[in-house]
């Protein structure tokens, strides 16, 4: 796990004109990692960034602002170059202009350490903290491509997720937060994942492997033996008789076993 620097100097190398607020610089220089958090997660670089974001918005309780920022980033990434984490300047990305100050600070911080590829993990850890704080439980609903807006299907999946939450005592008093996601292995139906409790009502791509699945490899027919034509001389006659005897032995073994 990388060690934080005591000053915000690295930001100057990534975004020349980026100037963080004094409040964020003060939090950055503090021991915010050692503060209390609503969930215990094994320390890592991703956890450090998520902790910073959490503590940055904790005084005002604006946790959802950061969650919306992550959604904005996720929507913008497909428009960016393939290796955008190492090639673009975060402060110059048009789609990132609307991000909150703590998120912008964290992106600059991550990029200065070459760690923007950890962004999905940071988002997941941060969401875990917020869910624990707000007593929310996320239900991941997996559907086939093009079915994200199928209201009937999504509503059915939500009811399944609600039942899972209802049946689990540890989620008593928690609010369900559904998150619809695409799974390209699904043809129809859906699957629901509620904090590790998995309900699968999806139909996968079974037709592609059905033909090979019907083959019975335990019942293999015996090979057809063809008689070899030999030249008419003493050497080949001796060899032919020897090989014929081996052939008879193999046939007997095939019939009666070893």
């Amino acid at each position: 796990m990388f060690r934080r620097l005591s000053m915000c100097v690295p930001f100057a190398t990534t975004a020349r004109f980026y100037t963080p607020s004094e409040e964020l610089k003060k939090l950055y220089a503090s021991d915010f990692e050692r503060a209390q958090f609503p969930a215990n997660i094994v320390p890592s670089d991703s956890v450090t960034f998520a902790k910073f974001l959490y503590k940055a918005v904790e005084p005002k309780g604006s946790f959802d602002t950061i969650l919306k920022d992550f959604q904005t980033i996720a929507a913008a990434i497909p428009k960016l170059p393939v290796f955008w984490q190492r090639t673009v300047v975060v402060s110059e990305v048009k789609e990132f202009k609307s991000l909150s100050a703590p998120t912008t600070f964290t992106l600059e911080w991550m990029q200065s350490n070459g760690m923007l590829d950890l962004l999905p993990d940071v988002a997941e850890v941060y969401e875990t903290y917020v869910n624990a704080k707000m007593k929310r439980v996320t239900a991941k609903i997996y559907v086939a491509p093009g079915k994200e807006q199928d209201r009937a299907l999504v509503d059915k999946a939500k009811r399944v997720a609600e039942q899972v939450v209802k049946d689990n005592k540890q989620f008593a008093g928690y609010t369900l937060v559904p998150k619809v996601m695409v799974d390209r292995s699904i043809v129809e139906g859906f699957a629901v994942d509620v904090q590790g409790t998995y309900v699968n009502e999806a139909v996968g791509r079974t037709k592609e492997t059905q033909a090979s699945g019907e083959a019975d490899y335990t019942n293999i027919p015996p090979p057809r033996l063809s008689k070899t034509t030999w030249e008419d001389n003493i050497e080949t006659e001796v060899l032919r008789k020897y090989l014929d005897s081996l052939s008879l032995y193999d046939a007997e073994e095939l019939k009666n076993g070893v």
Side-chain angles (χ1 to χ4, degrees), residues 8-20 88-93 97 104-105 107-109 111-112:
C8 296
V9 175
F11 300 126
T13 62
T14 304
R16 183 177 179 181
F17 301 107
Y18 174 70
T19 304
V88 305
V89 178
V90 169
S91 60
E92 296 179 358
V93 177
K97 297 291 185 181
T104 301
F105 184 99
L107 290 179
E108 297 281 1
W109 177 15
Q111 188 174 54
S112 68

Side-chain angles (χ1 to χ4, degrees), residues 137-156:
V137 56
T138 300
K140 296 179 180 179
I141 299 174
Y142 298 95
V143 297
K147 294 291 186 179
E148 307 96 301
Q149 304 301 324
D150 189 332
R151 188 167 183 177
L153 181 67
V154 173
D155 287 345
K156 184 178 179 181

Side-chain angles (χ1 to χ4, degrees), residues 83-146:
F83 301 108
W84 71 273
Q85 298 95 330
R86 302 182 184 277
T87 58
V88 305
V89 178
V90 169
S91 60
E92 296 179 358
V93 177
K94 180 181 178 181
E95 290 80 2
F96 292 173
K97 297 291 185 181
S98 62
L99 299 178
S100 64
T103 301
T104 301
F105 184 99
T106 304
L107 290 179
E108 297 281 1
W109 177 15
M110 293 177 69
Q111 188 174 54
S112 68
N113 287 278
M115 294 183 176
L116 275 177
D117 56 319
L118 297 179
L119 201 54
D121 297 331
V122 176
E124 185 174 354
V125 174
Y126 177 81
E127 186 176 7
T128 300
Y129 284 142
V130 174
N131 286 345
K133 172 68 175 180
M134 307 300 290
K135 286 197 170 184
R136 299 172 181 169
V137 56
T138 300
K140 296 179 180 179
I141 299 174
Y142 298 95
V143 297

